Amino acid sequence: MSRTMNTEQKEFALEAAQLAVGYPAKQGARIVADKISFGLQAGDFAAIVGVNGIGKSTLLRTLGQVQSPLSGQVSLIGRNLDSFKNRELAETVSLVLTEPLATKNLAVWELVQLGRQPYTNWIGKLEAADKEKIAEALAMVGLQNSHSKKCYELSDGQMQKVLIARALAQDTPLMLLDEPTTHLDLYHKVQILKLLQRISHEMKKTILFTTHEIGLAIQLCDRMLILDNQENPFGAPCELIEQKRFESLFPGDIISFDSQTGNFKIVS
Ligand SMILES: Nc1ncnc2c1ncn2[C@@H]1O[C@H](COP(=O)(O)OP(=O)(O)OP(=O)(O)O)[C@@H](O)[C@H]1O
């Protein structure tokens, strides 16, 4: 079992070193993004941002071992990702991806209980401890009174909370979410991101998500990774602002970054 350490000798919960991500191609491999290096501690709430198609989802899926890295290293809780057996991985990292659900016919609690699968026996029988985790997860997202509703009865915002509850029921130190606020209005985007921030800080979980909500991520995240196809800077939002890293994120013809407000404005 190989272990990695950062320079402060504090173990990272999630670390990428010179990572390249992408897809197999007819000749070799198609690199989508490379030279990605960062480290997150337990309890860090962090976002991956960048323009459409830069590779945010591809990176997130690689960190969760849905697909393999093309080169470089990923380690979770100090262990190389490729050393994890399926069950160990399911106990370490939960994923909330953008794929539509196979069925919305499930009741809320039935969907959330799927998060307990790594822990239940082969017939999926729930023990008292499993039921407690499911109840805790539903309470954490504020859906304790909606547990028997069908998923098709839920709004997009409520559905997102159910998916977060499923990840919480999985009870992992790491959570990876792909665009958790898509289709939500501003109020509900902030509600979901504040919920995730609270989960991360109160439960000491490391949460990493992809987003186009750069202004909100600047306000709420402890760390951000900017995929820019060049240096892929990583750091605290205020450091990235000081280093003027957001200025070159988009072409400057119609929007520009305002470092005073930490948001983009339309160029007049
Ligand atoms: N399954 C796949 N096979 C081959 N190429 C893919 C696959 N999925 C995505 N890509 C390509 O990888 C590149 C990065 O896509 P990805 O979805 O990771 O970007 P993204 O930054 O998440 O984009 P967006 O912000 O639009 O969601 C794109 O060029 C895309 O076409």
Side-chain angles (χ1 to χ4, degrees):
M1 185 189 300
S2 82
R3 290 197 168 263
T4 52
M5 289 282 184
N6 67 6
T7 47
E8 295 161 342
Q9 295 300 300
K10 231 174 158 187
E11 199 171 73
F12 281 127
L14 171 59
E15 186 178 15
Q18 284 302 313
L19 182 64
V21 300
Y23 300 90
K26 279 195 186 122
Q27 290 167 333
R30 187 191 154 216
I31 294 176
V32 167
D34 63 357
K35 303 188 194 92
I36 301 167
S37 297
F38 67 90
L40 295 173
Q41 307 279 353
D44 273 345
F45 182 52
I48 304 169
V49 299
V51 298
N52 283 132
I54 197 84
K56 300 180 294 299
S57 303
T58 304
L59 170 59
L60 198 86
R61 288 196 298 262
T62 307
L63 297 173
Q65 220 186 35
V66 178
Q67 61 190 86
S68 301
L70 297 182
S71 63
Q73 276 209 333
V74 177
S75 52
L76 310 180
I77 325 290
R79 259 179 72 186
N80 278 339
L81 180 58
D82 55 16
S83 74
F84 279 75
K85 299 199 170 69
N86 287 346
R87 158 104 194 229
E88 289 175 318
L89 192 65
E91 289 176 7
T92 306
V93 60
S94 50
L95 298 169
V96 180
L97 300 179
T98 48
E99 280 81 34
L101 285 180
T103 173
K104 282 196 163 186
N105 222 0
L106 295 178
V108 164
W109 71 269
E110 287 174 315
L111 186 60
V112 174
Q113 82 163 50
L114 294 177
R116 296 303 299 163
Q117 264 180 355
Y119 307 94
T120 53
N121 61 25
W122 64 276
I123 47 170
K125 187 171 179 297
L126 296 175
E127 305 292 342
D130 298 309
K131 290 179 184 165
E132 207 172 298
K133 289 282 178 200
I134 294 165
E136 273 174 20
L138 282 168
M140 193 78 192
V141 303
L143 285 178
Q144 60 274 41
N145 297 326
S146 307
H147 64 281
S148 45
K149 267 196 178 170
K150 292 283 191 184
C151 289
Y152 60 71
E153 296 179 82
L154 303 176
S155 69
D156 286 342
Q158 288 170 321
M159 193 61 221
Q160 198 57 48
K161 288 182 188 171
V162 176
L163 296 175
I164 292 168
R166 182 180 65 182
L168 281 175
Q170 203 176 321
D171 196 20
T172 57
L174 293 163
M175 279 173 71
L176 303 176
L177 303 96
D178 199 7
E179 299 200 35
T181 60
T182 319
H183 308 306
L184 304 185
D185 62 40
L186 180 60
Y187 180 87
H188 289 95
K189 280 183 206 287
V190 176
Q191 194 187 52
I192 291 292
L193 293 182
K194 284 189 71 109
L195 169 67
L196 289 170
Q197 187 202 45
R198 185 160 65 88
I199 291 168
S200 152
H201 292 172
E202 282 181 11
M203 302 174 86
K204 280 274 167 227
K205 287 181 189 289
T206 304
I207 298 188
L208 178 64
F209 65 102
T210 65
T211 188
H212 289 291
E213 301 303 328
I214 297 172
L216 297 182
I218 285 174
Q219 291 182 68
L220 291 168
C221 287
D222 305 306
R223 296 278 180 276
M224 290 176 74
L225 173 68
I226 303 178
L227 286 190
D228 63 1
N229 210 2
Q230 292 176 42
E231 292 177 50
N232 303 320
F234 170 78
C238 56
E239 292 166 1
L240 295 169
I241 291 174
E242 267 173 33
Q243 296 163 8
K244 301 192 179 305
R245 299 292 195 168
F246 294 100
E247 268 80 343
S248 52
L249 197 51
F250 301 109
D253 54 340
I254 50 174
I255 51 171
S256 69
F257 186 73
D258 180 352
S259 56
Q260 297 300 314
T261 61
N263 222 327
F264 288 87
K265 62 179 185 198
I266 298 172
V267 175
S268 48

